[in-house]
Amino acid sequence: DLTGEAVNRFTISYDTFNDLQTLAWQNMGDSQTLCDFIDWAAGAYPADRYILVLWDHGGGVVGGYGYDENFNGDSMSLTEMSHALEDAEVHLDMLGFDACLMANFETCLMAAPYVNYLIASEEPEPGCGWYYTDWIGKLSKNCGIPPESYGRQIIDDYIRESSWNSPSMYSTLGMFDLKQVTQKLLPALNQFSDDAAQQLSAGEYRKISQSRSNTRAV
């Protein structure tokens, strides 16, 4: 029954949940749901800097983010997420994905107009996910900490806790300066694509194949 009240907005302070709003069921895979939450949070708690962390399943470029079981497993594509961030009109200091497979070039390009830094994993995340205690604690004491500092804290804590909770998994988490992605990486990849297209047109298949074979992968 999806007619009752089920979605809660709350704050957490000193291990206490403080309920603020109870809303009707909403599709977590709908871009409007995300846009409404960002608008509400920024309006209720205006600040100079904002961090948005999205926690759920991730499916990368193909699967998108979040799978709402109450709405036939609907997920939010990168295009839908871009619409939500654009419509919310709130520039984010950082966008974090506590979710699998969201660290990719396409996600960076999607977020770049609205976000300074992205933190995400290129691999599946273990069930324990991020360890929030340390970095949120430090930010609560000093909200002026630069994102490079608390971003490193997020990553170090995650890798440490993952190694304890899921030692058999290969855990990754990266932080991306999105200005560098758009100003340096994007032009370099465009040039690479143009060069590869020219080589293919010239019939240099062997050269491209050998270059691919010699590329290191981790």
Side-chain angles (χ1 to χ4, degrees), residues 27-30 65-69 71-76 80:
N27 181 358
M28 295 297 123
D30 189 331
Y65 159 78
Y67 298 87
D68 195 326
E69 297 176 356
F71 289 86
N72 298 316
D74 187 26
S75 63
M76 192 181 307
E80 291 175 309

Side-chain angles (χ1 to χ4, degrees), residues 164-180:
W164 281 102
N165 287 280
S166 302
S168 62
M169 289 192 66
Y170 180 69
S171 300
T172 63
L173 197 63
M175 180 174 177
F176 306 91
D177 183 337
L178 299 183
K179 182 178 292 186
Q180 297 296 318

Side-chain angles (χ1 to χ4, degrees), residues 111-127:
Y114 325 106
V115 182
N116 293 337
Y117 293 91
L118 176 78
I119 288 188
S121 172
E122 64 180 306
E123 297 283 345
E125 282 194 358

Side-chain angles (χ1 to χ4, degrees), residues 57-159:
H57 295 294
V61 178
V62 176
Y65 159 78
Y67 298 87
D68 195 326
E69 297 176 356
N70 293 315
F71 289 86
N72 298 316
D74 187 26
S75 63
M76 192 181 307
S77 69
L78 295 185
T79 299
E80 291 175 309
M81 193 172 299
S82 175
H83 291 326
L85 295 174
E86 180 180 14
D87 293 343
E89 297 183 345
V90 175
H91 195 83
L92 301 175
D93 204 40
M94 180 176 292
L95 172 62
F97 284 96
D98 191 352
C100 300
L101 308 173
M102 296 307 295
N104 50 68
F105 185 58
E106 291 84 355
T107 302
C108 287
L109 291 183
M110 177 280 297
Y114 325 106
V115 182
N116 293 337
Y117 293 91
L118 176 78
I119 288 188
S121 172
E122 64 180 306
E123 297 283 345
E125 282 194 358
C128 61
W130 289 15
Y131 183 76
Y132 290 83
T133 302
D134 288 350
W135 70 274
I136 289 181
K138 288 185 177 181
L139 268 180
S140 66
K141 294 178 181 178
N142 178 14
C143 59
I145 297 175
E148 297 88 350
S149 296
Y150 67 76
R152 180 181 292 275
Q153 181 81 52
I154 292 171
I155 294 171
D156 289 346
D157 290 346
Y158 167 78
I159 297 301

Side-chain angles (χ1 to χ4, degrees), residues 183-199:
Q183 293 183 355
K184 294 185 178 180
L185 182 57
L186 179 58
L189 281 176
N190 286 337
Q191 185 63 57
F192 172 81
S193 298
D194 290 342
D195 292 344
Q198 291 177 13
Q199 290 176 357

Side-chain angles (χ1 to χ4, degrees), residues 28-40:
M28 295 297 123
D30 189 331
S31 61
Q32 190 60 49
T33 302
L34 176 58
C35 179
D36 290 344
F37 173 75
I38 296 173
D39 281 340
W40 169 80

